[in-house]
Amino acid sequence: MANEIWTIKRCLEWTKEYLAERGEEHPRLSAEWLLCAATGLARIDLYMRMDETLNAAQLETMHAAVVRRAKGEPLQYITGSTQFRMIDVACAPGVLIPRPETEMLVEEVLNYLDAEVLSPEAAARQRVELPWNDEVEEARKAEAALADERATAERRAANLTAADEAALGGDVLGSRAYAEELADREAEEAAAQAAEAEAAEDAESELDEYGIAIEGAGQETASAQDAAAPAPTEPCTARVLEVGCGTGCISLSLAWERRGHVTCTATDIEPRAIDLATKNRDALGLTADEVAFSLTNLVSSIPREEWGTFDVLVSNPPYIPTDVMRSLPHEVKDFEPDLALEGGADGLDIFRRLLNAAPYMLRAGGLFACELYEGALDAAAELCRQAGLSDVRIVHDLTDRPRIVRAIVTEPKQRI
C-alpha cells in the first residue's frame, strides 16, 4: 500500500467501501473524518485537493486509524477531538465523549444566567440616577411649557391684524412679535436639549449587553462626570459549579461564551479527565481563575467558605441504568468508561447525591440542572419537588426525548 500512489480521492473511496463492508453506519463521513485527521485538512479542502498524493506518514496514520475504526473504536478517540458548541475539545480514551444533548444543557444554564444573574445587572444600571437627570427633567418640563405658550400665541396671532397689535401693545400675549420670540427661545432650548441627550446617549453606550462598563471607553467624558457620579459597582460575575466535568466541555463553553462574566469550578473523580480538561482549557487560552478543575469525589473539595455562593450547580452525571448498560452500542459499551456511564438500578444514584448537595452549594434562587436518562426524568423531577426545590422543569432534547431536569433552590441549607 505504501509503494502505491494513493491520492486523497482514492483513499477516501477505498476507506468508505472498507468501513461499509464492516457495518459502519456512516462510512463516507467516517472516512472524511479520518482523512482530515491524517492530513490536517478541513473536510471542504479534501474535495478541493482530491488529486493530491498522500505521503508515507499520512498513509501510515490513515491505515492505523482505519483499523481502529473497523474494530468499533469511536471516531473522537481516533481523531483526538470533537466540536462542542463554539469550541474544539480534545478527546481521549478513559474520558466520556461530549454529546450533542449536553450542548442543550449548556444552553439551559446560559439562558438562566442571562435572565436571572447577568441581565438584571444591566437593568439596574440603566435605572441609576445620573448626575444630569434632574437637569434633563427640568429642561423637558420647560420645553413642554414653551410649546404650550407657542401654540396659544400662534392661535391668537392668527386672529390679529397689524392695527390690532399696535393698539394692544407689542408685549401683549398673542402678538406675532411674541410668537416669533417664543420660536427663537424654543430653538435655543431644543439645541440645548439635543446636546444633553447626546451626552447621555454617549454615556449609556459605554455599557455592554450586561450593563457592565466597557474598559477604556468614554474616557473623554470621565473627568466631567467623576465628581457627581455614584461610585461604580463591581462587575457582575456568575459562579458555576460543575460536577463530573469529563473533557471540561460544559464549564469551558460557559466561560468561553460569557467570558468575563462567568467563572467555573469543575470537579471529577477521574485523573485522566482532569488532565484532559486542563489541556482543553489551556488550548482555549482560559485561565485557572476562569475555570478551576479539581480532582475530587463530587463536591468534597469545595471549601466550606464557598458553600452557598454558587449561582448554578450543573452536571452530566453517570445516568445509564444498569440493565440498559448491556444494550448500549458496541462503540460505547466497549470503549467509553463505565465510571462515566452507569448510574445504578434506575440511573439516579449520582443524581440523588447531587440533589442532596445542591441546597448547600447554591445561593437562594440558584439553578440545579442535570442531564439524565430519558426514562428517569419524571422520577428525578419528583425527587426535586420532594427535596423542596421549586420551578421544577423537564427539558426535551432535539429528538423530543426528555433529557434535562432543572429546578430552583429556594431555601439554601447550612451544615453545622
Side-chain angles (χ1 to χ4, degrees), residues 135-174:
E135 297 176 12
V136 171
E137 180 62 17
E138 288 299 322
R140 187 194 65 77
K141 292 178 180 178
E143 181 181 5
L146 192 62
D148 289 340
E149 288 184 18
R150 182 186 182 191
T152 301
E154 288 177 343
R155 286 195 301 271
R156 293 184 178 179
N159 296 322
L160 294 176
T161 65
D164 292 333
E165 288 180 1
L168 293 172
D171 60 341
V172 175
L173 181 64

Side-chain angles (χ1 to χ4, degrees), residues 8 40-50:
I8 288 177
L41 297 175
R43 284 175 63 194
I44 191 171
D45 292 332
L46 295 178
Y47 291 91
M48 300 292 291
R49 302 163 71 167
M50 281 289 197

Side-chain angles (χ1 to χ4, degrees), residues 317-335:
Y319 62 66
I320 306 297
T322 302
D323 288 344
V324 178
M325 287 287 294
R326 290 188 283 271
S327 61
L328 291 176
H330 165 58
E331 68 177 71
V332 176
K333 179 176 59 178
D334 296 333
F335 290 94

Side-chain angles (χ1 to χ4, degrees), residues 391-408:
D391 194 19
V392 180
R393 306 181 203 171
I394 294 174
V395 181
H396 290 236
D397 63 20
L398 296 176
T399 62
D400 202 30
R401 295 175 179 174
R403 183 60 60 191
I404 297 165
V405 63
R406 50 162 291 169
I408 299 298

Side-chain angles (χ1 to χ4, degrees), residues 169-181:
D171 60 341
V172 175
L173 181 64
S175 70
R176 289 190 177 88
Y178 188 73
E180 291 171 358
E181 179 184 345

Side-chain angles (χ1 to χ4, degrees), residues 84-87 102-114 118 210 238-242 248-265 284 286 290-291 312-315 367:
F84 186 85
R85 289 181 64 89
M86 298 174 63
I87 62 176
T102 308
E103 295 188 9
M104 293 190 63
L105 180 60
V106 173
E107 188 72 18
E108 284 298 314
V109 173
L110 287 174
N111 288 341
Y112 166 81
L113 292 176
D114 288 346
L118 301 178
Y210 302 110
R239 302 192 73 233
V240 175
L241 172 61
E242 181 192 1
C249 60
I250 293 176
S251 287
L252 294 175
S253 289
L254 293 171
W256 179 259
E257 294 185 38
R258 296 295 183 274
R259 192 161 192 181
H261 300 295
V262 174
T263 63
C264 302
T265 297
L284 289 169
L286 293 168
E290 293 173 293
V291 183
V312 175
L313 194 165
V314 61
S315 182
L367 175 70

